Amino acid sequence: MEIREVILCKYGEIILKGANRQTFESSLVKELRRRASPFGIFKIYYLQSTLYIEPKNDECDMDGMYETAKKVFGIVAVNRAAVCEKSMEAIVATARAYLPAKLAGKKTFKVDAKRSDKRFPLTSPQICQEIGGVVLSTVRGIKVDVHNPEVTVGVEVRDEYAFIRAGQEAGAGGLPPRSAGRGLLLLSGGIDSPVAGCMMAKRGLEIEALHFESFPYTSERAREKVMTLAQEMTEFCSRIHVHVISLTHVQEELRDRCEEDYFTILLRIFMMKLAERVAAEYKCDCLVTGESLGQVASQTLKAIRVTDSVVDLPVFRPCIGMDKSEIVIEARKYGTFDTSILPFEDCCTVFTPRHPKTQPRMEAVQEELRKVDFEGLLDEAYATMQTETKLVYPEYR
């Protein structure tokens, strides 16, 4: 028999959103439709706490659409399912045709049935019993294990159709893209900041990115590395504007006029003030950094307190309580790790002091800042800003 297959996407905390739940569901549909375009023509809609992705013709790339759906924030589980009429005869026939190939080589299974339509004549346990019998009679060597099955066969009886699946995979979780406002990520070429951006995007934050360079002390390859990181982030973060500001003259002035030990914290203050300006221009309501408490000199508690004091916007640090090994795990999950470890320097490695201040006092920092034309240097650096890539979209192949 001919099988009609669809992709079903489940969402989690959106269910709890009450009166504005429809806004979140619409955001998910919009994002999936945008991402679907490279894979063909799909009908995408939501119904009964589930998103449906139905191919409109045989040319649709279901594998590609399935993989990209797993990377859309707001979706907690994804599965492919066969669709059939809402009768037990049709469900059994479809299960007999669809499940053997999906369960080939599996050792154990169980059946989980749900009836959204309570008028359906069989109860959920009765449906499980029927479909379990189909699997045992058509799949060689498989056994029932209701406690720890290798795969769960799902049967869902909904208002219009029934759906049969063999297993499901976890989605990205979180909230839909651009559902929680916009934030500016300070994006370096390291491991931490791309992870921080993805973690905040998971909470629905639309990400703008700001990168600081110090040409010729940093190379064109370093800039290209950051653009590659931004591209990789869009697999989860949807789209990103990437802005680049040169700190070359700022760093030279700090080197020539200020105490070496304060160089790191002074540079960080310039970064935060410039980020605040960019955030205001691009309507961002927060800053995002990849800082982890105590990891480097500028990330001690007192150093963070100093840098936070120079800006009015909230600064989100989702990696603050994570150690490097935990951040690396997240970087691998988001696909940015291999690019992050490429050996191209960023501006933070230029003129690094031998003994950076780890416990700076605000009074001493202010005294150092008075040695340079603070506002003038800010204006000069801000004037160098370029938007390297206006919109960075995921590259689908």
Side-chain angles (χ1 to χ4, degrees), residues 3 14 68 106-107 113 141 154 204 219 238 244 251 261 283 316 320-321 327 329 365 393 396:
I3 298 295
I14 296 176
T68 200
K106 305 298 183 183
K107 300 298 183 183
S219 66
S238 186
V244 181
Q251 291 184 278
D261 292 357
K283 297 179 174 58
F316 293 144
I320 195 71
I327 298 172
I329 291 171
V365 171
Y393 288 104
Y396 297 119

Side-chain angles (χ1 to χ4, degrees), residues 262-327:
Y262 284 91
F263 180 82
T264 300
I265 192 69
L266 295 175
L267 179 62
R268 194 68 181 173
I269 287 173
F270 272 94
M271 289 179 172
M272 297 295 278
K273 292 297 289 184
L274 288 165
E276 189 174 46
R277 288 194 183 187
V278 176
E281 181 172 347
Y282 290 92
K283 297 179 174 58
C284 298
D285 292 321
C286 68
L287 304 180
V288 180
T289 78
E291 291 164 300
S292 170
L293 186 63
Q295 188 174 131
V296 296
S298 64
Q299 297 176 17
T300 64
L301 188 58
K302 287 189 176 180
I304 289 173
R305 182 180 180 183
V306 168
T307 55
D308 274 7
S309 70
V310 303
V311 296
D312 294 326
L313 290 176
V315 183
F316 293 144
R317 298 177 171 92
C319 299
I320 195 71
M322 302 169 68
D323 62 31
K324 184 60 80 172
S325 62
E326 292 170 321
I327 298 172

Side-chain angles (χ1 to χ4, degrees), residues 27 31 56 71 73 80 135 160 182 248 263 278 313 333 343:
S27 295
E31 179 66 14
K56 288 195 171 183
K71 298 176 181 178
F73 287 129
R80 294 170 72 155
V135 173
E160 294 185 6
R182 181 181 299 162
T248 303
F263 180 82
V278 176
L313 290 176
K333 180 175 76 175

Side-chain angles (χ1 to χ4, degrees), residues 3-8 79-83 98 163-166:
I3 298 295
R4 183 163 68 95
E5 194 175 39
V6 301
I7 298 171
L8 303 181
N79 61 75
R80 294 170 72 155
V83 186
Y98 183 68
F163 299 87
I164 302 166
R165 59 173 171 83

Side-chain angles (χ1 to χ4, degrees), residues 34-72:
R34 185 185 71 77
R35 292 188 179 223
S37 57
F39 306 113
I41 302 173
F42 292 85
K43 179 182 178 182
I44 301 174
Y45 59 98
Y46 61 88
L47 189 67
Q48 294 177 302
S49 302
T50 299
L51 280 162
Y52 296 79
I53 305 175
E54 299 181 3
K56 288 195 171 183
N57 54 55
D58 294 337
E59 285 70 45
C60 290
D61 179 2
M62 288 286 284
D63 292 336
M65 189 66 233
Y66 181 78
E67 289 302 314
T68 200
K70 291 192 296 182
K71 298 176 181 178
V72 175

Side-chain angles (χ1 to χ4, degrees), residues 18-142:
N20 62 347
R21 171 173 159 179
Q22 187 175 359
T23 301
F24 290 89
E25 292 174 320
S26 297
S27 295
L28 269 180
V29 170
K30 183 178 179 181
E31 179 66 14
L32 283 166
R33 285 174 178 165
R34 185 185 71 77
R35 292 188 179 223
S37 57
F39 306 113
I41 302 173
F42 292 85
K43 179 182 178 182
I44 301 174
Y45 59 98
Y46 61 88
L47 189 67
Q48 294 177 302
S49 302
T50 299
L51 280 162
Y52 296 79
I53 305 175
E54 299 181 3
K56 288 195 171 183
N57 54 55
D58 294 337
E59 285 70 45
C60 290
D61 179 2
M62 288 286 284
D63 292 336
M65 189 66 233
Y66 181 78
E67 289 302 314
T68 200
K70 291 192 296 182
K71 298 176 181 178
V72 175
F73 287 129
I75 295 173
V76 299
V78 183
N79 61 75
R80 294 170 72 155
V83 186
C84 66
E85 293 180 4
K86 199 172 60 176
S87 69
M88 202 60 218
E89 293 78 10
I91 292 172
V92 168
T94 302
R96 193 176 298 277
Y98 183 68
L99 292 177
K102 299 291 183 181
L103 299 176
K106 305 298 183 183
K107 300 298 183 183
T108 58
F109 81 103
K110 76 171 183 178
V111 180
D112 181 28
K114 295 180 180 179
R115 296 182 307 151
S116 297
D117 182 359
K118 300 304 181 184
R119 297 170 300 175
F120 193 75
L122 272 70
T123 64
S124 294
Q126 289 172 329
I127 295 171
C128 290
Q129 185 177 8
E130 288 281 345
I131 301 306
V134 170
V135 173
L136 290 172
S137 65
T138 58
V139 180
R140 185 187 300 272
I142 201 167

